[in-house]
Amino acid sequence: MFIHIGSDEVVLKKDVIMILDKYALVSKDTSDFMQVAKEEGFVQGEYGMDKKSIIICDKKIFFSPISSVTLLKRSNFLKNL
């Protein structure tokens, strides 16, 4: 199953490791992790004021304009049917 994460991007649900809120970047550990990931080329796109969440997949990291709560709801959509 795919999850639409905004900005014409979709990811496989099975590839998603973690969905973080934008405020997670305040943490020193998270910001250090993101800096290393960016240096190694895992980060897709740039973080901007319009981005509300960070999606960490097994091979890439995406920034999304959709909130982490909404992405969680989208990922659990089929469980509720």
Side-chain angles (χ1 to χ4, degrees):
M1 175 178 178
F2 292 96
I3 303 171
H4 180 261
I5 61 169
S7 302
D8 296 329
E9 293 279 347
V10 292
V11 296
L12 281 171
K13 184 177 174 180
K14 69 178 182 107
D15 291 343
V16 176
I17 297 170
M18 186 182 312
I19 299 174
L20 298 171
D21 191 62
K22 67 180 178 181
Y23 299 111
L25 288 177
V26 175
S27 166
K28 180 176 177 2
D29 293 332
T30 306
S31 60
D32 289 346
F33 168 77
M34 291 299 292
Q35 182 63 34
V36 170
K38 186 174 183 177
E39 290 170 0
E40 294 184 6
F42 290 104
V43 177
Q44 300 289 74
E46 291 291 324
Y47 178 74
M49 295 303 294
D50 62 331
K51 306 302 181 187
K52 296 180 182 177
S53 60
I54 304 153
I55 298 91
I56 300 174
C57 296
D58 61 346
K59 297 183 185 199
K60 294 182 182 177
I61 298 174
F62 300 93
F63 296 106
S64 174
I66 301 171
S67 74
S68 57
V69 174
T70 301
L71 291 172
L72 176 65
K73 289 178 185 176
R74 288 182 182 187
S75 70
N76 290 327
F77 176 73
L78 289 179
K79 289 182 183 178
N80 297 330
L81 291 179

